[in-house]
Amino acid sequence: MNIGRGQGVGGSRQGLGRMGKVPTKCVCPECKYETTKIRGVPCRSIKCPKCGILLIGA
């Protein structure tokens, strides 16, 4: 039995969300400043050093 393994019955692995596209950089929606995405740190928790707006994943 595969109870508790997160795969369901004959299903594929869960994870990745957004159809497998994982952000590789964080971008400011206002001034387009870019920085490398740090694994485990959401982009929306980082402020742009230029204009102070929260970054988004891209």
Side-chain angles (χ1 to χ4, degrees):
M1 286 176 79
N2 286 331
I3 294 175
R5 296 186 187 241
Q7 292 183 325
V9 179
S12 61
R13 290 180 49 201
Q14 297 175 358
L16 298 185
R18 294 195 320 165
M19 296 194 263
K21 185 172 191 268
V22 178
T24 57
K25 58 185 174 181
C26 298
V27 180
C28 176
E30 189 72 26
C31 72
K32 307 304 180 206
Y33 166 83
E34 292 184 7
T35 188
T36 303
K37 169 82 170 76
I38 300 169
R39 187 174 183 180
V41 180
C43 290
R44 64 185 177 274
S45 69
I46 303 170
K47 286 188 177 183
C48 175
K50 292 182 179 181
C51 59
I53 303 290
L54 293 176
L55 303 181
I56 59 173

